[in-house]
Amino acid sequence: MKKAFENRLLHGADYNYEQWLDYPEILDEDFELMKKASCNVMSVGIFSWSMLEPAEGEYRFDWLDRLLDRLHGNGLRAILATPSGSKPAWLSRKYPDACRMGPDGRREPHGGRHNHCRTSASYREACVRINTLLAERYKDHPALAMWHVSNEYNAGRCHCPDCLAAFRAWLERKYGTIENLNKAWWTTFWSHRYSSWEEIEPVDNSVHGLMLDWARFTSDQTLDFFLAESEPLRRITPAVPITTNFMMPDVGLDYWKFARHVDVACWDSYPRWHVDGNDETVGARTAFFHDLNRSFKGKPFLLMESTPSGTNWQGLSKPKKPGMHLLSSIQAIAHGSDSVQYFQWRQSRGGEEKFHGAVVGHAGAESSRVFRDVAEVGGFLEAIAPVAGSSTRAEVAVIYDFHNSWALDLAQLPNTVSKRYQETCIAHYSAFWRMGVACDLADSVESDFSRYRLLAVPMLYMFREGVAERLRAFVNAGGILVATYLTGVVDGSDLCALGGTPGGLTDVFGLAVTATDTALPADRQEIRLSSADFPGGGSYAVADYADLADPRGATVHAAFTVGELSGGPALTEMRYGKGAAWYVAGRTGADFLDRFYGTLRERLSLSAPLATVPPGVSVRERIGDGKRFAFFMNFRETAAAVDLAGVAYRDLATGEPVTGALSLGPFGVRALVAGE
Ligand code: GAL
C-alpha cells in the first residue's frame, strides 16, 4: 500500500469549505491561517452530499475540485470523506427505505445524521454511485491521501422489514435449525420457544440470547454496509488507505472485528478536561481509549477529531486551561497516534454545532489563545516528526471485550446498578498508567495473547467459544493471568456455566466461585492481605461485588473480613503449568490495585522507563528505527520534577540535552529521545 504521509505527524481538522462558498475572503484567509498553524492535512467532504448531488443524478464537483487544488497548492493533503454520514432530503423522499424504522413500524423522519438504514438496497446503491464518482474523479489527484469512509458509524437499530429479514438470515446461518436456536437461547423459559424464523422479533429484552444476537447482528450489518460502500474505493484506488472514524467504544460496534477491515484505525476523542473530576483521572481514562485504538491494529492510529477548546454537546464543557491543549494533543502521540486533528477548522455560522470549539472561531483567529495553542501544537509536531511510525511495546494487556459488554448490559444480576464494566477495565488499566508501564488492550477472541506476560481480564463475565481454552493455554505457557469477580459466568450463548465459575477454568484458578454477594456501603466489606508476598499486610475496602468461593488448591493471599464471606478467599494465586492465575474476588479501589499490580510488576520485572513516577505524571515510550522516544506528561496544575534515573536524553523540541532531573510545568509535556 502507498504510504499516505511521508514520515510526518499529521496536523489538521475537519474543514467544511462548502459552508463558506459565499465568503471568498474567508476561504482565502483559511489557507493563510492553515500555514500559520503548521497544518498539513484537512478532512474534507464529510457531510457534503447535498452539495455534491443537489438533486438525484445532478452533480456539482466544481467546489471540491477547487478545494483539493487549493489544498495541494498550499502543501496540504486531503483525507477525503464519502458523504453517507447524512442524507440529502431528496434521497429520503424518493427512497424512504433509507430512513430507519422503529420497533413500532414507523419510519424516522428525514433529518439529523448517522441514521440511515444499513440494509436498504436503495441507500447502498446511492452510496456506491456517489463513492464511485468520487473515486473516479480524484483517483489521481495529488492531494488525495486517504479515504474517510462515512462518519462515526453507530449500531443504532432499524426494525424495517429488510433489516428483520437480514437478521433472520444471519440467525439461520449461525444456528442452522430453529431447534439449535431454541437451545442456545434457552427459550423454554417463560414459554419463549420459536417454531419458525419469522416469529423472531428483536424486541424482547427477556430473551437475552435474542437481544445479544441482535446486538451482534447490528454490529455485523454496519460492517457489511461499510464494506459495501468501500468497495468502489478499494477497486478504483487500491493504493489509497481507507479508514473510518471510531468513537467511544460503547456505540454498539465490535471495533476489534471492524478494525480488521480498515487500513488505519482512527478515533474521535472528546474528554471533558476540567469538568469530569481531576484531570489526572481524565488523563488515565483518555489514555485507555488511545491505547485501545492503538491496540486495534497493533500499530499507530490517527486522532481524527479532538476539540481545540471545548464542545457544545456534553452538557458541561470548559475551554482548555493554558497548557492543556498541548498536553492533551501530545498525549495522543505518546500513546501511538501519528496525528492531531480537530473538529473543526472553522466554527460554522449556523446549525447545531455553531458553538462547538474550533481552530478559528466566529471572532477570528488573530487575538485568540485557541489559535495560538493550535499553532503551538503544529510547531511541536514538526519538531518531533521522527516519532512518526514508531511503535509501542507492551508486556501487559487488559482485555476489553465488546460482546462481554453487551452481555453484561443485559444481565439481571442481584446487583444490576453498579456493573460498570468499562470503568472497571479502566480502573485496572489505570494502575499501569500510574506506574508508567505500557499496557495494550486486547480482545478475548481476536488478540494474540502470546506476546504478553501479564493479562488482566476484569469482569470477563462471558467466555465466548474457545476463550477458556485460550486463557488456559496462556497460563500453561508461563503467562500471569488476573481475573476478578464475575468472570466466566456465562458462555458465548449467555448460558450459565455449571459447577462453579470461572467456567471451565476452576482448575486453572484453583477455586470455584459459587455465588456473588452484593457489597453495600453499610456492609464495610474489605480484603485483608495476609501472605508474605505482601509484606506488612493491609486492608482494602470492597464495594458492589464480592464472590463466595471454594478454594481448590489456590494459595490464599487475602481474605474477606465481614459477614458470611469472612475468612473466605479474596485474593488467590494458583500455579498452573509454567504460569499462574490470580483471582481478585471483590471490587476494590485504586489503593489495592496499585499495591497488587505493583507487586506483580516487581515479581515479573516488567520494563518501564522509570522505577518511580511522581503522582499526576504519565510516562510513555515509542520505539522506532533504533530510537527510544519518551514522553513525560504532567496532568496536574502544579509543577512536577521527574528523576530520569541516570538516562541521558535529548529534548526533541529544543534539541537540548537532558539528564538528571526533568522539570514539568503545570500541565507540562516534554518529548525526549534517549541516548543522544
Ligand atoms: C463528532 C462528529 C463531528 C462533530 C463532533 C463534535 O462526533 O464526528 O462531526 O459532530 O463530534 O464534537
Side-chain angles (χ1 to χ4, degrees):
M1 182 193 312
K2 188 166 94 182
K3 246 189 145 183
F5 304 99
E6 304 74 21
N7 301 326
R8 52 184 179 161
L9 297 168
L10 306 186
H11 189 222
D14 281 19
Y15 181 34
N16 298 307
Y17 178 90
E18 67 276 22
Q19 290 179 17
W20 298 92
L21 296 182
D22 298 337
Y23 300 73
E25 65 296 347
I26 285 204
L27 297 177
D28 291 343
E29 187 194 31
D30 280 338
F31 290 97
E32 286 309 308
L33 291 173
M34 286 173 194
K35 273 185 216 149
K36 285 192 183 160
S38 304
C39 287
N40 51 26
V41 71
M42 288 286 144
S43 300
V44 298
I46 296 178
F47 296 110
S48 58
W49 201 333
S50 65
M51 287 294 283
L52 290 170
E53 192 180 1
E56 187 170 17
E58 206 182 296
Y59 298 102
R60 262 197 73 184
F61 290 112
D62 54 322
W63 65 267
L64 188 52
D65 293 349
R66 285 199 305 278
L67 167 57
L68 293 187
D69 290 349
R70 288 189 83 167
L71 287 171
H72 178 59
N74 285 281
L76 289 110
R77 305 293 305 277
I79 299 184
L80 179 56
T82 67
S84 68
S86 72
K87 314 178 274 308
W90 60 258
L91 196 150
S92 304
R93 249 171 95 91
K94 175 143 187 215
Y95 305 105
D97 60 306
C99 296
R100 288 183 190 164
M101 184 181 271
D104 57 359
R106 289 164 69 134
R107 289 273 173 203
E108 288 175 5
H110 171 77
R113 62 172 182 174
H114 302 162
N115 54 7
H116 60 268
C117 166
R118 285 164 295 252
T119 311
S120 155
S122 20
Y123 197 59
R124 285 180 177 224
E125 276 159 26
C127 289
V128 166
R129 261 195 318 271
I130 187 98
N131 294 1
T132 303
L133 290 174
L134 285 170
E136 290 289 3
R137 191 172 187 94
Y138 299 114
K139 60 178 190 281
D140 297 320
H141 199 290
L144 176 62
M146 183 176 283
W147 291 108
H148 178 300
V149 179
S150 201
N151 193 65
E152 293 193 337
Y153 289 114
N154 61 69
R157 316 265 150 98
C158 172
H159 292 255
C160 76
D162 292 341
C163 282
L164 294 192
F167 178 45
R168 290 170 188 143
W170 183 96
L171 291 171
E172 210 169 334
R173 282 197 300 278
K174 177 167 179 180
Y175 293 107
T177 68
I178 200 81
E179 197 40 40
N180 289 343
L181 174 144
N182 278 313
K183 285 197 174 122
W185 291 359
W186 205 256
T187 51
T188 310
F189 177 81
W190 285 358
S191 201
H192 281 151
R193 289 178 62 78
Y194 298 97
S195 54
S196 79
W197 304 102
E198 286 65 40
E199 290 164 5
I200 295 168
E201 295 278 347
V203 289
D204 187 347
N205 272 320
S206 70
V207 185
H208 288 186
L210 162 68
M211 297 317 281
L212 187 62
D213 274 342
W214 176 235
R216 288 167 168 158
F217 162 76
T218 47
S219 176
D220 280 2
Q221 195 70 349
T222 307
L223 175 56
D224 190 65
F225 180 90
F226 161 80
L227 293 174
E229 81 152 307
S230 305
E231 188 280 330
L233 314 177
R234 288 262 180 240
R235 180 166 40 81
I236 300 164
T237 57
V240 179
I242 288 183
T243 192
T244 183
N245 46 344
F246 293 166
M247 295 182 261
M248 291 284 283
D250 25 33
V251 293
L253 298 178
D254 179 353
Y255 281 148
W256 291 108
K257 190 169 178 183
F258 211 126
R260 271 197 252 143
H261 302 275
V262 297
D263 299 311
V264 182
C266 70
W267 87 290
D268 302 342
S269 172
Y270 291 99
R272 295 203 306 179
W273 302 109
H274 324 310
V275 176
D276 285 333
N278 68 44
D279 290 320
E280 203 173 316
T281 315
V282 181
R285 191 181 155 74
T286 307
F288 174 91
F289 297 119
H290 287 321
D291 277 338
L292 180 63
N293 280 275
R294 178 175 49 72
S295 302
F296 284 143
K297 292 196 77 72
K299 62 178 196 185
F301 65 97
L302 299 179
L303 175 63
M304 187 57 85
E305 290 180 25
S306 60
T307 177
S309 55
T311 65
N312 72 330
W313 53 268
Q314 291 173 305
L316 282 177
S317 169
K318 279 181 77 68
K320 294 178 192 174
K321 293 185 182 175
M324 182 48 91
H325 184 56
L326 183 66
L327 172 64
S328 57
S329 300
I330 302 308
Q331 183 191 25
I333 303 289
H335 285 269
S337 175
D338 272 358
S339 80
V340 174
Q341 291 160 264
Y342 312 113
F343 179 85
Q344 51 193 332
W345 171 257
R346 184 178 280 276
Q347 206 166 27
S348 53
R349 196 162 177 205
E352 167 105 5
E353 294 185 321
K354 57 183 172 296
F355 299 119
H356 192 289
V359 178
V360 186
H362 298 142
E366 288 312 322
S367 58
S368 123
R369 176 164 68 81
V370 172
F371 187 80
R372 284 198 303 278
D373 285 354
V374 166
E376 183 189 16
V377 168
F380 201 96
L381 292 176
E382 282 181 351
I384 66 168
V387 168
S390 60
S391 60
T392 301
R393 283 188 210 137
E395 297 174 298
V396 175
V398 172
I399 299 266
Y400 186 75
D401 182 312
F402 294 95
H403 296 246
N404 185 59
S405 167
W406 303 334
L408 263 172
D409 282 348
L410 285 162
Q412 294 289 324
L413 299 161
N415 175 0
T416 54
V417 300
S418 359
K419 288 185 243 172
R420 298 200 295 267
Y421 171 58
Q422 189 181 91
E423 294 311 313
T424 306
C425 292
I426 293 174
H428 283 250
Y429 166 91
S430 297
F432 296 103
W433 185 82
R434 286 187 289 269
M435 291 191 287
V437 170
C439 183
D440 279 353
L441 281 304
D443 181 53
S444 68
V445 170
E446 301 264 333
S447 305
D448 172 11
F449 298 160
S450 69
R451 66 174 72 170
Y452 303 114
R453 297 176 62 209
L454 195 162
L455 192 62
V457 296
M459 291 182 82
L460 192 63
Y461 163 83
M462 169 173 277
F463 281 176
R464 281 183 279 157
E465 203 178 325
V467 169
E469 293 74 14
R470 281 161 56 70
L471 294 174
R472 177 187 296 274
F474 172 73
V475 181
N476 199 30
I480 304 299
L481 177 65
V482 177
T484 68
Y485 53 94
L486 291 176
T487 289
V489 178
V490 297
D491 68 10
S493 298
D494 208 27
L495 296 178
C496 290
L498 301 177
T501 64
L505 291 183
T506 50
D507 60 325
V508 174
F509 284 94
L511 97 179
V513 175
T514 53
T516 300
D517 190 27
T518 300
L520 300 174
D523 295 338
R524 299 181 167 279
Q525 186 56 269
E526 45 175 41
I527 278 182
R528 185 169 299 155
L529 289 165
S530 54
S531 80
D533 295 79
F534 296 88
S539 292
Y540 298 88
V542 166
D544 305 328
Y545 299 102
D547 280 345
L548 185 71
D550 288 340
R552 295 189 185 165
T555 303
V556 177
H557 290 280
F560 289 115
T561 58
V562 174
E564 208 188 326
L565 294 184
S566 187
L571 176 69
T572 61
E573 177 190 9
M574 179 75 177
R575 297 286 160 100
Y576 180 88
K578 295 192 189 128
W582 290 78
Y583 198 81
V584 185
R587 177 177 284 169
T588 64
D591 52 355
F592 173 81
L593 294 176
D594 284 348
R595 175 89 187 272
F596 171 59
Y597 285 120
T599 304
L600 291 190
R601 175 207 175 161
E602 271 171 37
R603 268 209 202 178
L604 297 171
S605 307
L606 295 175
S607 62
L610 295 178
T612 316
V613 182
V617 171
S618 161
V619 188
R620 273 294 176 275
E621 278 186 347
R622 286 180 67 165
I623 295 159
D625 284 342
K627 290 188 194 289
R628 207 151 55 81
F629 304 104
F631 295 84
F632 296 85
M633 297 162 274
N634 178 15
F635 286 87
R636 288 193 177 173
E637 226 174 332
T638 47
V642 179
D643 179 353
L644 295 174
V647 180
Y649 290 96
R650 183 171 58 76
D651 189 309
L652 278 174
T654 65
E656 280 162 15
V658 187
T659 44
L662 178 76
S663 61
L664 293 168
F667 299 134
V669 54
R670 306 276 297 269
L672 312 181
V673 56
E676 286 192 4

